[in-house]
Every structure is written in C-alpha cells, then in structure tokens.
Amino acid sequence: RQWYEEPNGGKYLCKKNTFNDFVDVAKWLVEDRKWTTPDYLSCEGRSAGGMTIAASMNQEPELFKAAILGVPFVDLVATMSDASIPLTAGEWEEWGNPNEVKYFDYMMSYCPMNNIKNGAVYPSCLITGGLHDPRVQYWEPAKLAAELRHRTSKDSGPVVLKMDMDSGHFSASDRYKYLRDLAFDYAFLLNTLGCS
C-alpha cells in the first residue's frame, strides 16, 4: 500500500492526487490518444467516488459531457468536522481531521461544495441520494445540485437530482428496483450524449 500512503499517495495531505490522476486520464483519452472528445466523455462515481467526480469536474468542468454522481460525499469539511455523525471519526484515518488546521486548509482546497467555479460551463449532472442514507446524508446531494444550479453558467448542462425516498447508501436491495435505477442512469447518459 505504499502507493497509497504519504508522501506521494492518495490520502491525507496527498488526496488531491486522486483527482489529478482522474483528470489526467480523461485528458489522455481526449488529447493524447484522441479516442474521444469532451462531447462524448462521461464519468460516474458513488459515495467517495462521487466526490472524485465532483472534484474532477471542478478542476476541468468542460472536459466532460455528462457526470453521474451517486450518493456523492461532497461536503466533506462540514460533515467530517462533526464527530457525532456515524463513521466520521473512523474516516479521519483516510482524509484527516478537519478540526486540525493542517487538514482543514487542505481539505477546503478540494472540497467539491466549496470549489465550484462561478460562471463556468459544467457537464450535465445526474445526482442521486437516499433519504435514509446513514453515510452520505440526503442533504449533501441536494446541496450540490442547488450550488451547481446557482453558481454555474446558464450554458451548463442540466442538473438532475433524484432522491430515493425509500433507500439508504446502497440504493435498491431488490434486483428489479436496481435494474430500474440502472436503466434511469443509462437513459440519462444516452440522452445527454445524443443517443436518444
């Protein structure tokens, strides 16, 4: 796990390497290999992966056409400052404790909620959440949707918020509901990419 640890890994005060790597791979696909263009490039992530997508969009919002952010952990400084929230203190081993200055400042520099580019053109976004999610509370995806709608350019893609009133962090437990949710995600993606 040395690849993941400090000083050059992807945790604590090196967490931004995660987002830099993601953006670099997307640029490699577009610029170096010319396998796609931003008009056909999409990205998806759930939970902490949703934070990777949101932070990457903040770095290069015009690099992607569509983004699917499932139960995205995007207000990490506010959430992780409260040790009474389930799983928070345990996650300090991954991210750092924002109640300590050295981590607070670094985490604020990449926290998706705090780094949306005002007036920038962002991709179309499907943001999902679950009302009963104990890990990423429903207000995080709702706040992200509101911030994107308010702060980005009117030329940005639509921001769709889909809140499941029955599920938690892992969405549907029965396979048919899972397949309906997956079909919704694919319909959003295909429509955004012009394949409808």
Side-chain angles (χ1 to χ4, degrees):
R1 276 188 43 117
Q2 186 170 353
W3 62 268
Y4 188 58
E5 303 293 335
E6 290 184 291
N8 300 313
K11 66 187 278 191
Y12 288 137
L13 299 175
C14 299
K15 189 65 189 168
K16 284 198 252 184
N17 288 341
T18 303
F19 320 126
N20 296 339
D21 289 350
F22 190 88
V23 167
D24 286 346
V25 168
K27 285 181 175 179
W28 180 80
L29 291 169
V30 170
E31 297 168 5
D32 294 350
R33 302 302 288 181
K34 302 204 185 315
W35 284 347
T36 190
T37 68
D39 285 336
Y40 294 102
L41 188 60
S42 65
C43 51
E44 178 182 11
R46 292 185 53 80
S47 195
M51 179 179 51
T52 297
I53 300 306
S56 298
M57 283 190 327
N58 285 342
Q59 275 190 28
E60 297 286 342
E62 294 188 39
L63 186 56
F64 306 97
K65 180 70 172 180
I68 299 175
L69 301 97
V71 296
F73 179 47
V74 290
D75 202 8
L76 70 145
V77 174
T79 300
M80 294 189 67
S81 294
D82 184 354
S84 70
I85 296 175
L87 305 174
T88 296
E91 291 293 321
W92 290 343
E93 293 298 317
E94 172 75 19
W95 313 94
N97 180 350
N99 296 306
E100 298 175 26
V101 172
K102 75 176 185 176
Y103 292 116
F104 176 85
D105 292 337
Y106 187 74
M107 292 167 82
M108 283 297 286
S109 74
Y110 69 81
C111 179
M113 195 69 70
N114 302 94
N115 289 285
I116 294 169
K117 292 181 177 176
N118 289 321
V121 176
Y122 272 67
S124 299
C125 295
L126 170 60
I127 305 170
T128 66
L131 183 63
H132 304 290
D133 189 338
R135 295 181 182 192
V136 178
Q137 300 292 321
Y138 66 89
W139 55 79
E140 288 200 40
K143 283 172 64 176
L144 179 64
E147 287 293 314
L148 286 170
R149 289 172 181 161
H150 176 71
R151 295 176 56 193
T152 63
S153 168
K154 299 300 179 208
D155 295 325
S156 294
V159 176
V160 177
L161 175 65
K162 182 177 177 245
M163 191 63 62
D164 190 322
M165 304 307 276
D166 296 318
S167 70
H169 195 65
F170 296 104
S171 188
S173 58
D174 75 79
R175 71 177 166 189
Y176 296 112
K177 185 169 184 329
Y178 167 77
L179 292 173
R180 282 191 302 274
D181 289 345
L182 188 60
F184 186 92
D185 292 357
Y186 284 152
F188 169 83
L189 180 62
L190 292 171
N191 183 65
T192 301
L193 296 177
C195 300
S196 55

